[in-house]
Amino acid sequence: MAGLWVGAAALVGAGRRGRRLPQPLMRSSAVWTLKVRSERAPRGPGLRWASLGFAGLTFDKILIANRGEIACRVIKTCKKMGIKTVAIHSDVDASSVHVKMADEAVCVGPAPTSKSYLNMDAIMEAIKKTRAQAVHPGYGFLSENKEFAKCLAAEDVIFIGPDTHAIQAMGDKIESKLLAKKAKVNTIPGFDGVVKDADEAVRIAREIGYPVMIKASAGGGGKGMRIAWDDEETRDGFRFSSQEAASSFGDDRLLIEKFIDNPRHIEIQVLGDKHGNALWLNERECSIQRRNQKVVEEAPSIFLDSETRRAMGEQAVALAKAVKYSSAGTVEFLVDSKKNFYFLEMNTRLQVEHPVTECITGLDLVQEMIRVAKGYPLRHKQADIPINGWAVECRVYAEDPYKSFGLPSVGRLSQYQEPIHLPGVRVDSGIQPGSDISIYYDPMISKLITYGSDRTEALKRMEDALDNYVIRGKNKYINTKFLSDVYPDGHKLTEIERNQLLAIASSLFVAFQLRAQHFQEHENSRVPIIQPQVANWQLSVKLHDEVHTVVASNSGPTFSSYLVSQQVEVDGSKLNVTSTWNLASPLLSVSVDGTPRTVQVNVLMIYFEGSYKVHILTKLAAELNKYMLEKAAEDTSSILRSPMPGVVVTVSVKPGDMVAEGQEICVIEAMKMQNSMTAGKTGKVKSVRCKAGDTVGEGDLLVELE
């Protein structure tokens, strides 16, 4: 696996407190338990339920039409409620965590989503086979597909979500915008119809005025969205957005609207029932994004005041009631610097970021969805909904931050350890050590959530949780928490941080060398190459392209878990490194001049305020290394290699064609995102080594120029 990254941000602020709800859920770190209470079903006598289960009041068996972390999330609540679960899976997901967690599992097809998780016929057959009474769709896939909901209704199977009218109205961005206007919800200026082709897209964009946002009418999750600043970008955006929309949603219709530059993305969680009741459960701030996909969310938003929050919530509820919405849903808004807000879209499903709302309200949204689907009225009034504390969520992606900040990365997880031993930490995941990250599915593999009494505490807990989250691929370990727009050149270490990193790395190097010596001393057939009596280790340490001189004191034999107190001199600056090095642990705690640090080490990679490759040699080895020949760099201007595993969607050239620098050569799709591959120079195409439909690996040769 080439790498993984975690979205996060250096955020500051204070929390808010609201009225405390007589909660059906009580928080205990990341574990949720139920109080016993009376509940009356829509028909029949009042019954009692508890955490041991009340399946008789809802459903006996639910099929989860999804995979990964969200399938696991739904299964957890079903188990808590005493409901049996059925997992569906593709053939490559047969050993996935959600399959193991469920009571039953049914294979619905091969790896491609169109043949498995979007295969309605196979899923309907699985429902009949297992006699599931209801289906929870999670998010993505068929969660907002009205035809799927109709198929379920025809078989008397309950869809745990809104009815088909609401899905149709809100799932179509064009229709939803018209309904929002009718419900007196603020909307963004734009074209309310379907854009027919690229020429019409250009004409509409010019009329609206650049920049514009091109997006899929049936889309969501950042798929099928492009920002265009001129005619050329509009044509390219139309093509890529329509292709991504068709691939992800089976619907290539697009709309165009004015792009509001530098907005905040704030959404309102709503919850409605089948009795005409609807609530807004406060907001979520989702402004930290890349490629129009959220990576960090928090609740509440530090930007909103109570008046704006109330206005947004009331408009969200007005829209929900206008379409008789009955489930959990989200109304998304763009908010400008003056707190003017505009309706963006309504997602008629459970959102990826729903855990932060659960943390500050105490509600289990999956449980509420199941209750509403069975016909129960909402248990709470608007005045009961609190803001208790603060929560932050970071999405964990199987992507390589060193390749255009996030090209997809696939492979097998060799080591995986969640930081759930820390207070106020919750991890929603669908992976385990040995899990395979596939090219066929979304790159998000887990969500890290922290909760605190205020924003400062929640963010500090997130920082600690990120430091203690171990995710390692087969070949490399990469984990960073900084975004390209905030840190375009990566996180820049201060001089103090750099010296601390070099001191820690050098101390670890000495510890590893002394451990090796320990083994060698017990092997009579080997000659020790390290002299134990050496007083100081003179080292040459390379970080990035700079070489530093480091002298580390010999703290004595270090084998498994010994206390080390070592003086390390970095470029003349002296630092004291203290730790109990347990070299078998993926997480190491260390103190540098009294400052506590948590580091992770994997071969040549060290995680310390980001991921860094540190090359350490003894002084003698560094001198000898000067005589080693370096491998000549490949001339990449004449060849085009695939930067990631994926499937070739289109090839735009053939041998003999003349191409210009920057011209598109082919398109590679990986993890449901399309990536345009371009020529590195102007020249003639010598050979084409791929065709549409081919599966390619990272580094595979695609096209060669003369």
Side-chain angles (χ1 to χ4, degrees), residues 380-559:
H380 311 296
K381 302 297 181 182
Q382 188 63 58
D384 296 329
I385 305 302
I387 298 179
N388 288 327
W390 212 286
V392 180
E393 174 182 288
C394 291
R395 304 188 186 190
V396 182
Y397 286 85
E399 298 184 351
D400 189 340
Y402 298 125
K403 290 184 177 178
S404 301
F405 202 84
L407 287 181
S409 171
V410 301
R412 178 166 294 175
L413 291 175
S414 61
Q415 198 166 17
Y416 181 74
Q417 182 176 311
E418 297 175 350
I420 53 177
H421 61 285
L422 301 175
V425 173
R426 166 178 167 177
V427 179
D428 285 11
S429 72
I431 54 175
Q432 61 186 3
S435 290
D436 286 314
I437 308 301
S438 168
I439 66 172
Y440 296 102
Y441 310 119
D442 192 272
M444 193 193 77
I445 56 175
S446 69
K447 300 178 307 196
L448 177 63
I449 307 102
T450 56
Y451 172 83
S453 59
D454 56 31
R455 197 164 185 258
T456 300
E457 184 176 46
L459 289 168
K460 180 62 173 68
R461 287 178 170 177
M462 177 60 71
E463 181 182 351
D464 293 341
L466 288 168
D467 284 344
N468 284 271
Y469 203 165
V470 179
I471 309 175
R472 296 184 182 177
K474 187 173 182 180
N475 301 315
K476 300 178 183 177
Y477 172 66
I478 300 174
N479 190 320
T480 184
K481 53 183 179 180
F482 301 99
L483 300 179
S484 60
D485 54 347
V486 180
Y487 302 104
D489 301 318
H491 175 51
K492 297 295 185 182
L493 292 172
T494 65
E495 182 178 351
I496 293 176
E497 290 173 335
R498 183 202 65 195
N499 288 347
Q500 288 183 347
L501 168 60
L502 296 176
I504 292 171
S506 299
S507 182
L508 273 168
F509 175 83
V510 172
F512 276 111
Q513 294 298 318
L514 291 174
R515 182 177 70 166
Q517 173 190 318
H518 179 95
F519 283 121
Q520 290 165 347
E521 288 175 347
H522 289 78
E523 288 283 348
N524 295 328
S525 60
R526 296 182 180 180
V527 178
I529 60 173
I530 301 172
Q531 300 302 319
Q533 67 271 21
V534 67
N536 294 300
W537 291 75
Q538 296 186 22
L539 307 174
S540 175
V541 184
K542 186 176 181 179
L543 175 63
H544 301 136
D545 293 325
E546 297 181 350
V547 177
H548 303 269
T549 300
V550 177
V551 178
S553 65
N554 188 348
S555 57
T558 301
F559 168 54

Side-chain angles (χ1 to χ4, degrees), residues 11 267 284-288 293-299 352-353 356 391-395 397 444 447-448 462:
L11 309 171
E267 61 191 27
R284 294 185 290 258
E285 171 83 56
C286 309
S287 299
I288 300 176
Q293 286 186 310
K294 306 163 189 172
V295 293
V296 181
E297 301 94 356
E298 64 176 316
V352 174
E353 58 273 17
V356 292
V392 180
E393 174 182 288
C394 291
R395 304 188 186 190
Y397 286 85
M444 193 193 77
K447 300 178 307 196
L448 177 63
M462 177 60 71

Side-chain angles (χ1 to χ4, degrees), residues 157 332 360 471 494 568 577:
V157 177
E332 301 191 356
I360 68 167
I471 309 175
T494 65
V568 181
V577 178

Side-chain angles (χ1 to χ4, degrees), residues 292-345:
N292 299 312
Q293 286 186 310
K294 306 163 189 172
V295 293
V296 181
E297 301 94 356
E298 64 176 316
S301 168
I302 194 172
F303 186 67
L304 296 188
D305 52 50
S306 58
E307 183 179 346
T308 307
R309 176 179 295 111
R310 184 181 304 106
M312 293 175 69
E314 289 173 351
Q315 286 198 17
V317 166
L319 182 60
K321 288 186 175 181
V323 293
K324 299 180 180 179
Y325 195 84
S326 57
S327 190
T330 299
V331 181
E332 301 191 356
F333 294 93
L334 293 181
V335 185
D336 66 20
S337 59
K338 297 181 180 179
K339 292 188 174 63
N340 297 310
F341 57 90
Y342 306 93
F343 171 71
L344 183 63
E345 64 183 359

Side-chain angles (χ1 to χ4, degrees), residues 1 77 104 141 236 312 394 422 524 531 618 641:
M1 175 176 294
T77 287
E104 301 175 58
F141 295 133
D236 289 343
M312 293 175 69
C394 291
L422 301 175
N524 295 328
Q531 300 302 319
T618 63
R641 295 187 182 276

Side-chain angles (χ1 to χ4, degrees), residues 79-98:
K79 287 183 179 293
K80 181 180 64 180
M81 297 173 72
I83 302 171
K84 293 182 179 179
T85 56
V86 179
I88 62 169
H89 63 89
S90 65
D91 53 8
V92 299
D93 272 348
S95 299
S96 294
V97 176
H98 78 282

